[in-house]
Amino acid sequence: MELINKVAKIIFLTGVFFIPFNSFDGIPLLGEYRNEAAAFFFIFGFLLISLNGFNNKISVPYKNLIFRVVILFVIWCFISTLLNSYNVSQSYFKQTGGINRFIRQYFSLILSSIIFFLFYWNVLLKMGVKEILIIIRKVFLASLIVAFIYGFLETMIVVFEVSFITPIIGLFNYFPFLHVKVFGDRISSISYEAPFLAIYLITIS
C-alpha cells in the first residue's frame, strides 16, 4: 500500500511537470487530451490506484457539495444532449459531426472532472498543505526552467534570426513529449500554441 502511494505521488508530480508539454502528436483516442502530456500520467495514475482499490478502498468525496454539483453537471450534460439529440446529430463543424464531437467533449469532461480529480484527491489527501505547496512549486519551477531555455532559443531564432542555434534547439526532440517546431513569428516555447503557454505562465505565477 505504501509503495503504491509513493508511486502514485511520483506519477502525479511528473504529470504536473509535463503540464505545459503539448507540442507532439498524441493519441487521437483521447480526444481533447490527445497531445496533453500530463493527461497520460494522470490516466495511468488513476488506473494504478483503481487496480489497488481492489485491496484498498479509493477515497471518493461523495459528501462534498462541490463534488456532488460537478457530478450533477456531468449527468445534466448527458441528459440535455439526449433531449437535443436531433440538433446535435445535424450539427457539423470543422469536419466533425455533432455526435462525434459530443462523444469527444463528454469524454474529456469525464476525464477532467471525475477521473483526474479522483486521482488528485487520493494523492493529495495523503500530503499536508505545506508539503503540497512547496513540492508543487518546485516541480513548476523545474518545468519553467525548461520552458525558459526553449523559449529563449526560439526567440533568438524567430525574432533575431540567429540561425546557427537551430541545431541546438533541435536537441529538444530527444525530450519526452516534445517535437521541436519553429516557424513564423510565434513564440510558444514547449507548448504547441502561444495561448496555452500564456495560461501555463499565469497558472504558475
Side-chain angles (χ1 to χ4, degrees):
M1 176 61 181
E2 189 65 26
L3 177 61
I4 294 296
N5 291 336
K6 290 182 179 180
V7 174
K9 181 179 178 181
I10 293 174
I11 294 174
F12 170 74
L13 294 176
T14 305
V16 171
F17 173 84
F18 280 105
I19 284 178
F21 291 75
N22 64 356
S23 182
F24 68 101
D25 298 322
I27 303 176
L29 181 64
L30 294 180
E32 302 300 321
Y33 290 98
R34 64 185 179 279
N35 60 347
E36 301 291 339
F40 291 82
F41 292 95
F42 296 152
I43 292 173
F44 178 71
F46 177 78
L47 293 176
L48 179 66
I49 64 173
S50 297
L51 293 175
N52 186 56
F54 288 109
N55 299 319
N56 300 278
K57 186 177 180 181
I58 298 177
S59 176
V60 179
Y62 57 88
K63 293 183 179 180
N64 185 281
L65 179 60
I66 297 178
F67 183 71
R68 289 182 176 181
V69 171
V70 171
I71 296 299
L72 287 175
F73 174 74
V74 172
I75 295 174
W76 173 247
C77 286
F78 182 77
I79 295 175
S80 61
T81 302
L82 288 180
L83 296 176
N84 296 277
S85 57
Y86 177 77
N87 292 330
V88 172
S89 63
Q90 297 300 312
S91 174
Y92 191 81
F93 182 68
K94 291 185 176 181
Q95 301 180 345
T96 305
I99 296 178
N100 185 25
R101 182 170 294 276
F102 164 73
I103 293 174
R104 291 170 56 183
Q105 295 290 342
Y106 196 69
F107 178 66
S108 299
L109 177 63
I110 293 176
L111 275 180
S112 60
S113 62
I114 299 178
I115 293 178
F116 289 173
F117 173 77
L118 289 178
F119 176 58
Y120 306 153
W121 176 264
N122 280 270
V123 171
L124 299 178
L125 193 63
K126 300 174 177 63
M127 301 168 61
V129 175
K130 185 176 181 180
E131 180 186 5
I132 292 173
L133 294 176
I134 292 176
I135 197 168
I136 288 183
R137 286 182 63 182
K138 289 182 178 179
V139 173
F140 272 142
L141 175 61
S143 66
L144 178 61
I145 291 174
V146 177
F148 171 77
I149 295 174
Y150 186 102
F152 174 77
L153 295 175
E154 188 179 24
T155 301
M156 294 297 292
I157 296 172
V158 174
V159 178
F160 299 101
E161 299 181 352
V162 184
S163 58
F164 71 86
I165 296 181
T166 302
I168 299 177
I169 198 173
L171 295 175
F172 277 89
N173 279 317
Y174 294 99
F175 209 90
F177 307 106
L178 180 60
H179 291 172
V180 175
K181 296 178 181 178
V182 180
F183 52 87
D185 57 353
R186 183 181 65 181
I187 304 298
S188 58
S189 187
I190 54 181
S191 302
Y192 180 71
E193 297 177 335
F196 187 86
L197 176 64
I199 294 173
Y200 161 72
L201 294 175
I202 292 173
T203 300
I204 67 175
S205 62

